[in-house]
Amino acid sequence: MKRSLLSGVALLAGMLVAACGKDGPTGPVSGVITVNLSTANADDRAVLVSVTGPEEITGIEVANPSYTLHSRGSGTAFKAAVFGKLGAGALLRFTVPDVHRVGSYTATVIQVSDAGNAVRAEPTGYTLTLAR
């Protein structure tokens, strides 16, 4: 009797585990998206970027504690000016209601200045990528 009860409990536990799936939650998962900067210049000191998306953006912060951030915006869009000795890599982070929708957000470089505070004529050669 005990053996059949234990077998039944083990079978039920196995079915529950299999029903949960391997991929975890499929619904919205709030979290952080990182904006990564790609640049070939070694003397960038300020960058102005624009970020837009389908859902509310909150918690905008720099990814590097040596950077300074000034941002403006609300809802699904913001502009951010980041100052410091900028290099390729993580630039900003922000929080969204569903990180699975990272591909629906866009980030654009608007303007860049160098160490002498001269604005670069065109922000060509700069790329922003978004990652969870």
Side-chain angles (χ1 to χ4, degrees):
M1 180 81 161
K2 285 185 181 180
R3 209 173 261 189
S4 64
L5 180 61
L6 287 176
S7 296
V9 169
L11 178 64
L12 180 61
M15 290 170 49
L16 288 173
V17 168
C20 290
K22 299 176 185 171
D23 298 331
T26 57
V29 176
S30 65
V32 175
I33 293 177
T34 301
V35 179
N36 295 296
L37 174 67
S38 175
T39 175
N41 297 309
D43 65 339
D44 294 329
R45 295 299 183 268
V47 62
L48 177 62
V49 301
S50 172
V51 177
T52 60
E55 299 178 301
E56 184 178 15
I57 298 169
T58 60
I60 305 159
E61 63 184 18
V62 290
N64 183 325
S66 69
Y67 296 164
T68 300
L69 169 69
H70 294 279
S71 65
R72 182 175 294 177
S74 62
T76 62
F78 71 90
K79 287 184 180 178
V82 181
F83 303 90
K85 189 173 180 180
L86 307 176
L91 182 69
L92 295 169
R93 292 187 185 103
F94 58 92
T95 304
V96 296
D98 187 3
V99 293
H100 294 124
R101 298 188 69 188
V102 65
S104 299
Y105 290 83
T106 59
T108 306
V109 173
I110 299 170
Q111 206 168 46
V112 181
S113 67
D114 63 18
N117 290 328
V119 175
R120 299 202 189 276
E122 291 292 324
T124 57
Y126 294 88
T127 306
L128 296 174
T129 57
L130 304 172
R132 303 191 304 170

